[in-house]
Amino acid sequence: MDKIENQYVIDALNSRESWRMFRILSEFVDGIEQMSGLPPGVSIFGSARVIPGSPEYNQAEQVGKLVSEAGFTVITGGGGGIMEAGNKGAAEAGGHSVGLNIELPFEQSPNPYANVRLNFRYFFVRKVIFVKHSVAYVVMPGGFGTLDELAEALTLIQTHRIKPFPVILMGSDYWGGLVDWFKDKLMGQEKIGPGDLDLIRVMDDPQEVVRAIKQTVIL
């Protein structure tokens, strides 16, 4: 019994855990300091598994280019696939191309197109930096991580924890089923409020995406 109780105490707090707080604090400080001098950011999310030259990659590259040309900082997760494409479009347009890289045992390695790079160990710190420095989210086809960032933004906007900003799902073929499920299940069973679906916009054209952001966000 004593052994079990001691286990809970150790799990709750030990010297290693307390020192970890300094690492967390340093990630917040570094992230805020490096991002503070940049223009407002548009974050582009999507799968790291998309290959260069594919339609999704080319579309993300175009979005990054147009967003950069419109005067915004392009922010991605810093990895490959759609993240790489977004950073590439911004960098080749001569803009600010930010990669918020996360340390993972697989998939994630920094792409060469981010001209501002930050490295994170903790997902929650990285999420704060995304939200704090973004004035819009462009969510392209992706997996669990992409869905996580989407849900995080919608939750914070819905609960009035952050100022509302455009959340654009890019790719009606990819996201249509999810949006239909939102309508049929979440809205149909009153799990979300009447206006909550208005937080999301679905688009296919990069030009339309940038126009929508510019109509909402004033630089």
Side-chain angles (χ1 to χ4, degrees):
M1 182 66 180
D2 289 341
K3 184 177 181 180
I4 294 176
E5 291 299 326
N6 287 337
Q7 174 186 326
Y8 290 134
V9 172
I10 292 171
D11 286 348
L13 182 65
N14 59 35
S15 60
R16 186 175 180 181
E17 291 296 320
S18 61
W19 277 106
R20 184 175 296 176
M21 296 302 296
F22 291 101
R23 173 65 184 258
I24 293 169
L25 181 59
S26 72
E27 288 198 356
F28 276 119
V29 172
D30 289 345
I32 292 171
E33 284 186 347
Q34 290 197 51
M35 297 291 289
S36 61
L38 300 177
V42 173
S43 288
I44 301 173
F45 298 98
S47 175
R49 304 183 185 192
V50 171
I51 62 173
S54 67
E56 291 172 346
Y57 187 100
N58 293 339
Q59 193 174 54
E61 185 176 346
Q62 181 70 1
V63 172
K65 175 179 181 292
L66 294 174
V67 165
S68 181
E69 290 175 345
F72 298 97
T73 297
V74 170
I75 308 172
T76 80
I82 283 174
M83 294 175 282
E84 175 184 297
N87 284 136
K88 182 181 179 183
E92 294 185 349
H96 299 284
S97 178
V98 177
L100 306 182
N101 196 64
I102 187 76
E103 297 176 12
L104 295 176
F106 58 91
E107 279 191 3
Q108 186 85 346
S109 59
N111 72 67
Y113 299 104
N115 49 43
V116 178
R117 296 182 186 178
L118 291 83
N119 293 307
F120 296 89
R121 178 176 293 182
Y122 302 103
F123 271 107
F124 68 92
V125 179
R126 184 176 180 241
K127 284 184 176 182
V128 171
I129 301 301
F130 269 122
V131 169
K132 177 175 175 56
H133 295 282
S134 295
V135 294
Y137 273 16
V138 179
V139 185
M140 300 193 66
F144 288 152
T146 303
L147 291 171
D148 181 47
E149 299 290 357
L150 170 63
E152 177 87 8
L154 294 177
T155 300
L156 292 172
I157 295 171
Q158 180 201 50
T159 56
H160 304 289
R161 309 308 288 183
I162 62 173
K163 183 179 179 179
F165 58 64
V167 178
I168 299 170
L169 300 180
M170 193 164 188
S172 55
D173 286 345
Y174 190 85
W175 295 112
L178 178 64
V179 174
D180 289 341
W181 183 79
F182 284 171
K183 292 177 181 177
D184 295 342
K185 299 299 182 182
L186 302 188
M187 182 70 73
Q189 297 183 17
E190 299 182 350
K191 301 298 192 296
I192 58 176
D196 287 340
L197 281 180
D198 295 336
L199 302 177
I200 304 170
R201 301 176 69 177
V202 182
M203 299 179 182
D204 292 297
D205 180 12
Q207 295 277 4
E208 183 185 11
V209 168
V210 176
R211 281 196 300 269
I213 294 171
K214 290 172 68 176
Q215 289 170 359
T216 307
V217 181
I218 300 175
L219 290 175

